[in-house]
Amino acid sequence: MTSDRQALVVAMAHDKREIRASDVAALLGVSRQRSRAIVKEMTDAGILCKHGNGRYTYYTLVPESPDY
């Protein structure tokens, strides 16, 4: 079950297609360090997919089906 925070992040990722940890920090009003922990948890749970490294990292929703 996802938390309210995760639901907000999923909604933003759906709207924007690509999100960054800084987007999550601004959305949730948390530090960038906390936002990175949140997206890592969501990536580990199979909700988000990580692309790139370092300052070029962004996240997308993991497709639920081939038709996504």
Side-chain angles (χ1 to χ4, degrees), residues 62-68:
V62 171
E64 294 185 41
S65 70
D67 298 328
Y68 182 77

Side-chain angles (χ1 to χ4, degrees), residues 13-68:
H14 186 266
D15 290 342
K16 292 183 70 171
R17 300 289 182 187
E18 296 178 1
I19 61 171
R20 301 183 186 288
S22 59
D23 297 326
V24 174
L27 175 71
L28 301 178
V30 297
S31 69
R32 292 184 74 181
Q33 182 177 5
R34 179 65 186 129
S35 70
R36 284 191 296 271
I38 291 167
V39 294
K40 182 179 183 335
E41 290 168 8
M42 293 179 72
T43 300
D44 292 346
I47 299 167
L48 296 176
C49 182
K50 179 181 175 181
H51 305 272
N53 289 304
R55 68 184 302 168
Y56 303 105
T57 302
Y58 66 93
Y59 301 86
T60 59
L61 288 175
V62 171
E64 294 185 41
S65 70
D67 298 328
Y68 182 77

